[in-house]
Amino acid sequence: MTTAPTSPGAGKPRWLTDEEQRVWRAYIDATTLLEDHLDRQLQRDAGMPHVYYGLLVKLAEAPQRRLRMTELAMSAKITRSRLSHAVARLEKSGWVRREDCPSDKRGQFAVLTDEGLEVLGRHAPGHVEAVRQAVFDRLTPEQQKSLGEIMRIVAEGLQPSEAGADLPWLR
């Protein structure tokens, strides 16, 4: 059992049941191992970490293969600082370029280059196969559907809607 301070006025802590603890630890183990597995596969095959691959995918799916840096940070769920560092590395590889935003002097776009699109296309099949083997080949269609529904519920519950929320892409 994990002990943690409670916030003032919160009353007694709501400890996890044995079953909830089992589920929680299985989730932590699985997500940690999955992220490591996918990161190692992409480092080995494409010379980039998983987060960089995800940025290339988001740009490839965007209209004209471009997104405002703030939109890309929000979509990737990472801090602006981490995004700036990642885009600088992707620029150095020639896979992304930055463009100034004509309507906002402080804003910039990240744009997927033709070379970046080619790199993504070359490495997508291996990455998809790694995802398939690690996740989907191990689950029944019913389990896949349940996993998707569960993850959507968790994500929606963690996505604050109030102004001034403490969100990574605002830091």
Side-chain angles (χ1 to χ4, degrees):
M1 180 174 355
T2 306
T3 59
T6 59
S7 58
K12 288 183 145 188
R14 293 180 43 213
W15 300 115
L16 299 179
T17 66
D18 288 345
E19 179 61 15
E20 289 168 336
Q21 189 71 258
R22 186 190 64 72
V23 170
W24 175 244
R25 289 183 182 180
Y27 168 81
I28 293 296
D29 289 348
T31 56
T32 301
L33 289 167
L34 180 61
E35 184 60 31
D36 178 67
H37 174 74
L38 297 176
D39 200 58
R40 282 185 291 114
Q41 179 268 320
L42 284 164
Q43 287 284 8
R44 181 188 65 240
D45 297 348
M48 75 177 91
H50 191 217
V51 70
Y52 291 14
Y53 180 87
L55 295 172
L56 296 180
V57 168
K58 290 180 185 310
L59 290 171
E61 293 172 344
Q64 300 168 342
R65 300 188 328 222
R66 63 188 300 152
L67 283 172
R68 293 275 305 253
M69 291 286 284
T70 52
E71 292 174 56
L72 186 55
M74 181 174 22
S75 178
K77 310 287 189 268
I78 60 175
T79 64
R80 291 182 288 189
S81 173
R82 185 173 183 200
L83 176 66
S84 184
H85 177 73
V87 169
R89 296 282 307 273
L90 292 168
E91 279 181 300
K92 192 173 182 179
S93 298
W95 301 341
V96 170
R97 72 174 181 275
R98 293 183 213 218
E99 293 179 355
D100 290 332
C101 177
S103 64
D104 178 2
K105 299 241 186 243
R106 296 178 305 162
Q108 285 190 316
F109 286 97
V111 182
L112 182 66
T113 65
D114 291 341
E115 184 180 350
L117 185 63
E118 189 275 325
V119 164
L120 185 60
R122 187 170 62 238
H123 295 291
H127 181 63
V128 169
E129 186 57 31
V131 169
R132 181 169 296 292
Q133 289 176 355
V135 179
F136 295 101
D137 289 352
R138 299 170 187 273
L139 302 175
T140 66
E142 295 78 22
Q143 290 170 324
Q144 292 174 24
K145 183 178 178 189
S146 293
L147 179 62
E149 291 169 355
I150 291 165
M151 292 296 97
R152 273 189 293 284
I153 290 167
V154 170
E156 287 170 5
L158 293 172
Q159 187 75 20
S161 57
E162 68 274 358
D166 182 26
L167 300 169
W169 50 91
L170 298 178
R171 289 185 225 132

